[in-house]
PDB file of all heavy atoms in Angstrom:
ATOM      1  N   LEU Q  93      -3.460  13.818  35.495  1.00 98.00           N
ATOM      2  CA  LEU Q  93      -4.341  14.898  35.056  1.00 98.00           C
ATOM      3  C   LEU Q  93      -3.584  16.224  34.987  1.00 98.00           C
ATOM      4  O   LEU Q  93      -3.690  16.968  34.009  1.00 98.00           O
ATOM      5  CB  LEU Q  93      -5.543  15.022  35.994  1.00 98.00           C
ATOM      6  CG  LEU Q  93      -6.519  13.853  35.990  1.00 98.00           C
ATOM      7  CD1 LEU Q  93      -7.672  14.111  36.951  1.00 98.00           C
ATOM      8  CD2 LEU Q  93      -7.059  13.579  34.591  1.00 98.00           C
ATOM      9  N   ASP Q  94      -2.815  16.503  36.021  1.00 98.00           N
ATOM     10  CA  ASP Q  94      -2.032  17.742  36.022  1.00 98.00           C
ATOM     11  C   ASP Q  94      -1.157  17.836  34.784  1.00 98.00           C
ATOM     12  O   ASP Q  94      -1.142  18.844  34.084  1.00 98.00           O
ATOM     13  CB  ASP Q  94      -1.120  17.803  37.260  1.00 98.00           C
ATOM     14  CG  ASP Q  94      -1.867  18.304  38.484  1.00 98.00           C
ATOM     15  OD1 ASP Q  94      -2.941  18.909  38.324  1.00 98.00           O
ATOM     16  OD2 ASP Q  94      -1.362  18.095  39.607  1.00 98.00           O
ATOM     17  N   ASP Q  95      -0.418  16.767  34.547  1.00 98.00           N
ATOM     18  CA  ASP Q  95       0.530  16.784  33.434  1.00 98.00           C
ATOM     19  C   ASP Q  95      -0.188  16.895  32.094  1.00 98.00           C
ATOM     20  O   ASP Q  95       0.249  17.620  31.195  1.00 98.00           O
ATOM     21  CB  ASP Q  95       1.383  15.518  33.458  1.00 98.00           C
ATOM     22  CG  ASP Q  95       2.342  15.506  34.635  1.00 98.00           C
ATOM     23  OD1 ASP Q  95       2.484  16.550  35.302  1.00 98.00           O
ATOM     24  OD2 ASP Q  95       2.956  14.446  34.900  1.00 98.00           O
ATOM     25  N   LEU Q  96      -1.273  16.155  31.986  1.00 98.00           N
ATOM     26  CA  LEU Q  96      -2.022  16.166  30.733  1.00 98.00           C
ATOM     27  C   LEU Q  96      -2.494  17.571  30.383  1.00 98.00           C
ATOM     28  O   LEU Q  96      -2.289  18.054  29.267  1.00 98.00           O
ATOM     29  CB  LEU Q  96      -3.221  15.218  30.845  1.00 98.00           C
ATOM     30  CG  LEU Q  96      -4.228  15.257  29.696  1.00 98.00           C
ATOM     31  CD1 LEU Q  96      -3.563  14.918  28.379  1.00 98.00           C
ATOM     32  CD2 LEU Q  96      -5.381  14.299  29.974  1.00 98.00           C
ATOM     33  N   TYR Q  97      -3.101  18.227  31.355  1.00 98.00           N
ATOM     34  CA  TYR Q  97      -3.670  19.534  31.032  1.00 98.00           C
ATOM     35  C   TYR Q  97      -2.596  20.608  30.942  1.00 98.00           C
ATOM     36  O   TYR Q  97      -2.753  21.591  30.231  1.00 98.00           O
ATOM     37  CB  TYR Q  97      -4.808  19.874  31.992  1.00 98.00           C
ATOM     38  CG  TYR Q  97      -5.910  18.843  31.878  1.00 98.00           C
ATOM     39  CD1 TYR Q  97      -6.305  18.083  32.968  1.00 98.00           C
ATOM     40  CD2 TYR Q  97      -6.474  18.567  30.632  1.00 98.00           C
ATOM     41  CE1 TYR Q  97      -7.277  17.096  32.837  1.00 98.00           C
ATOM     42  CE2 TYR Q  97      -7.440  17.577  30.488  1.00 98.00           C
ATOM     43  CZ  TYR Q  97      -7.830  16.849  31.595  1.00 98.00           C
ATOM     44  OH  TYR Q  97      -8.778  15.865  31.451  1.00 98.00           O
ATOM     45  N   ALA Q  98      -1.491  20.394  31.634  1.00 98.00           N
ATOM     46  CA  ALA Q  98      -0.361  21.311  31.453  1.00 98.00           C
ATOM     47  C   ALA Q  98       0.104  21.245  30.002  1.00 98.00           C
ATOM     48  O   ALA Q  98       0.410  22.264  29.370  1.00 98.00           O
ATOM     49  CB  ALA Q  98       0.776  20.945  32.392  1.00 98.00           C
ATOM     50  N   LEU Q  99       0.122  20.050  29.478  1.00 97.00           N
ATOM     51  CA  LEU Q  99       0.494  19.865  28.071  1.00 97.00           C
ATOM     52  C   LEU Q  99      -0.476  20.606  27.163  1.00 97.00           C
ATOM     53  O   LEU Q  99      -0.072  21.354  26.256  1.00 97.00           O
ATOM     54  CB  LEU Q  99       0.471  18.368  27.762  1.00 97.00           C
ATOM     55  CG  LEU Q  99       1.209  17.892  26.520  1.00 97.00           C
ATOM     56  CD1 LEU Q  99       2.703  18.103  26.686  1.00 97.00           C
ATOM     57  CD2 LEU Q  99       0.905  16.425  26.239  1.00 97.00           C
ATOM     58  N   GLN Q 100      -1.754  20.414  27.406  1.00 97.00           N
ATOM     59  CA  GLN Q 100      -2.752  21.084  26.587  1.00 97.00           C
ATOM     60  C   GLN Q 100      -2.639  22.601  26.689  1.00 97.00           C
ATOM     61  O   GLN Q 100      -2.855  23.309  25.715  1.00 97.00           O
ATOM     62  CB  GLN Q 100      -4.165  20.678  27.018  1.00 97.00           C
ATOM     63  CG  GLN Q 100      -4.554  19.317  26.504  1.00 97.00           C
ATOM     64  CD  GLN Q 100      -6.009  18.974  26.843  1.00 97.00           C
ATOM     65  OE1 GLN Q 100      -6.308  17.844  27.155  1.00 97.00           O
ATOM     66  NE2 GLN Q 100      -6.900  19.941  26.773  1.00 97.00           N
ATOM     67  N   ALA Q 101      -2.302  23.047  27.890  1.00 97.00           N
ATOM     68  CA  ALA Q 101      -2.240  24.491  28.097  1.00 97.00           C
ATOM     69  C   ALA Q 101      -1.092  25.130  27.331  1.00 97.00           C
ATOM     70  O   ALA Q 101      -1.118  26.308  27.013  1.00 97.00           O
ATOM     71  CB  ALA Q 101      -2.112  24.807  29.588  1.00 97.00           C
TER      72      ALA Q 101
END
Side-chain angles (χ1 to χ4, degrees):
Chain Q
L93 293 181
D94 277 342
D95 291 349
L96 172 59
Y97 299 120
L99 198 66
Q100 282 185 218

